[in-house]
Amino acid sequence: MAGHEIRSFGRALSPRDARIEVFDLLEGLLHPRDLEGVDLVLLGGSGDYSAAKGGPWLDAALDSLREVHASGVPAFASCWGFQAMAAAMGGRVVHDIGRAEVGTHEIVLTRAGRDDPVFASLPASFKAQMGHEDLVETLPPHATLLASSSRVVNQAYRFDDAPVYCTQFHPELDAHGILTRLSAYPKYVAEVAGTTFEDLIARIEATPDAHGLLRRFVDAVVKR
């Protein structure tokens, strides 16, 4: 799904012509020189790696995310990126299949979210695409909660000391995107969502408000 993730971010940023270069966090540390000339860092999702369960790659990956935070380069993180950035900066990430969310779910803005320069243009409640069983239990220091769902309190946050925004949901995925993603992991749907693949697919909805979030982030935060 790596290629699909990159294409999804590109479509979400459209009509801006985004040239996305990949840095693989499994391959080594990110250094300040890697961020030279970069306008925006995108931290995507991963179905095969967990910020809660960890692995031999995790410490270096979290060090790289701390470098992103310290760099001053605007960054937007979704799903795994949301969880890993929280873990890197002192938050707590847990695995909890009882609060897993797969498919289209409703998100509600907090008061801070309604006043936020990126999230304020969203409706007070909106639909977004999801696919997770790990979640952020405790936000890191210097983070402001922007949105919640009925099952998971920490759905979106921003850092007050860096131009970094993070969402548990996938703003880069529209309805077609989540269908493509879930079709690649049918066993995941059955095990995590607790329903049949066909029933979940029938309940997928369009999510235009969430899908426009990356463009609003660029307009409000990224210097051009």
Side-chain angles (χ1 to χ4, degrees):
M1 286 288 99
H4 180 259
E5 182 83 340
I6 295 166
R7 293 189 296 274
S8 296
F9 273 114
R11 282 192 293 268
L13 291 167
S14 179
R16 296 164 182 82
D17 185 18
R19 182 166 62 90
I20 300 175
E21 297 180 2
V22 175
F23 186 94
D24 189 344
L25 291 173
L26 297 176
E27 296 298 322
L29 283 169
L30 183 81
H31 297 284
R33 64 177 179 271
D34 297 310
L35 296 171
E36 292 177 2
V38 172
D39 299 311
L40 167 64
V41 174
L42 300 168
L43 302 169
S46 172
D48 295 322
Y49 299 93
S50 167
K53 297 178 182 178
W57 50 271
L58 184 60
D59 286 344
L62 297 187
D63 283 342
S64 294
L65 298 193
R66 284 187 278 268
E67 183 63 48
V68 171
H69 180 278
S71 71
V73 176
F76 195 104
S78 68
C79 199
W80 181 89
F82 165 92
Q83 298 155 5
M85 183 60 81
M89 300 308 299
R92 179 169 174 254
V93 180
V94 299
H95 178 79
D96 186 350
I97 199 168
R99 285 184 282 172
E101 296 167 302
V102 182
T104 308
H105 290 263
E106 185 175 31
I107 307 294
V108 178
L109 294 180
T110 63
R111 181 180 295 277
R114 294 194 296 271
D115 294 334
D116 180 78
V118 175
F119 278 70
S121 60
L122 291 167
S125 66
F126 59 95
K127 298 292 181 65
Q129 310 298 351
M130 300 217 209
H132 73 92
E133 52 190 292
D134 293 347
L135 56 93
V136 174
E137 188 73 79
T138 307
L139 291 179
H142 310 296
T144 294
L145 181 65
L146 301 174
S148 304
S149 69
S150 61
R151 190 172 294 182
V152 176
V153 171
N154 296 318
Q155 279 288 343
Y157 63 89
R158 68 164 190 257
F159 283 97
D160 301 326
D161 55 354
V164 179
Y165 279 70
C166 308
T167 63
Q168 177 60 79
F169 57 91
H170 285 275
E172 75 276 14
L173 295 181
D174 56 11
H176 181 267
I178 193 67
L179 288 170
T180 301
R181 190 68 57 87
L182 295 178
S183 295
Y185 301 104
K187 184 179 178 181
Y188 175 85
V189 171
E191 292 179 351
V192 177
T195 187
T196 66
F197 181 77
E198 291 74 18
D199 181 60
L200 181 63
I201 294 305
R203 292 188 276 114
I204 297 295
E205 300 178 44
T207 54
D209 294 312
H211 197 54
L213 193 61
L214 279 161
R215 292 190 294 273
R216 288 190 286 273
F217 173 77
V218 170
D219 289 340
V221 178
V222 179
K223 296 179 181 178
R224 291 169 293 168

